[in-house]
C-alpha cells in the first residue's frame, strides 16, 4: 500500500501545482473597434491590447456586466469602450458560441473595472485613434 499512498500524494501535489495556471490572471486592456469588417461570423471587428504583454487579442468581445455600479454609470461607456478611450481591468476567457450551426471558442474580455483614460499610444490598434 505504500506505493498507492505515494501515488495519491503525487497526484494531489501535481494537481495543486496545476490549479494556479488554470486561473486567468487579471490585466489591463484597451478594448476597441479595430476597423475590420467581415461578411461571415465570427467577425474580428474588435480587439483588445493587453498592456502587460503588448499582445493584441483579435476578435474579442467584451462582457461589461461585472463592472461596479460607479463604473457602469460613466456617461457613454459604450462609446468610450469601442473608441478605445479607456483602460479596463479584467481577464480574457474563451466562451463557446454557436454561430450558423457551428460551435466556436471565442475570446471574451470580462471587464471588472475601469482603470483610467487610455493614452494615444495605447490606442494605435483602434480604427478611431
Amino acid at each position: 500500500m505504500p506505493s498507492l499512498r505515494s501515488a495519491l500524494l503525487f497526484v494531489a501535489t501535481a494537481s495543486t501545482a496545476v490549479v494556479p495556471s488554470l486561473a486567468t490572471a487579471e490585466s489591463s486592456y484597451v478594448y476597441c473597434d479595430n476597423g475590420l469588417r467581415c461578411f461571415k461570423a465570427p467577425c474580428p471587428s474588435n480587439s483588445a491590447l493587453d498592456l502587460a504583454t503588448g499582445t493584441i487579442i483579435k476578435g474579442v468581445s467584451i462582457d461589461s456586466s461585472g463592472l461596479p455600479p460607479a463604473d457602469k454609470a460613466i456617461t457613454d461607456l459604450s462609446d468610450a469602450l469601442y473608441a478605445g478611450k479607456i483602460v479596463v481591468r479584467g481577464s480574457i476567457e474563451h466562451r463557446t458560441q454557436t454561430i450558423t450551426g457551428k460551435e466556436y471558442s471565442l475570446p471574451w474580455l470580462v471587464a471588472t473595472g475601469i482603470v483610467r483614460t487610455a493614452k494615444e499610444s495605447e490606442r494605435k490598434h483602434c480604427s478611431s485613434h
Side-chain angles (χ1 to χ4, degrees):
M1 284 302 201
S3 62
L4 178 59
R5 182 181 292 176
S6 297
L8 290 174
L9 183 59
F10 172 77
V11 169
T13 304
S15 64
T16 308
V18 171
V19 172
S21 67
L22 295 176
T24 305
E26 282 201 345
S27 189
S28 294
Y29 298 89
V30 176
Y31 174 83
C32 63
D33 182 326
N34 58 27
L36 296 175
R37 295 298 171 255
C38 62
F39 298 101
K40 184 179 176 188
C43 192
S45 295
N46 297 304
S47 59
L49 169 66
D50 183 338
L51 296 179
T53 65
T55 303
I56 296 174
I57 300 102
K58 297 178 181 178
V60 66
S61 297
I62 191 163
D63 179 352
S64 59
S65 64
L67 289 172
D71 288 350
K72 284 182 182 178
I74 292 176
T75 309
D76 297 326
L77 177 61
S78 63
D79 288 342
L81 279 173
Y82 288 97
K85 294 179 181 177
I86 57 177
V87 174
V88 296
R89 183 178 55 255
S91 59
I92 300 292
E93 68 178 46
H94 285 267
R95 295 180 180 174
T96 302
Q97 272 184 283
T98 302
I99 302 171
T100 61
K102 187 173 178 183
E103 284 193 1
Y104 295 90
S105 176
L106 302 173
W108 280 78
L109 170 55
V110 181
T112 58
I114 295 175
V115 178
R116 60 177 169 78
T117 302
K119 298 174 188 172
E120 185 66 26
S121 61
E122 297 167 335
R123 300 177 59 217
K124 290 189 183 218
H125 71 288
C126 302
S127 66
S128 61
H129 96 274

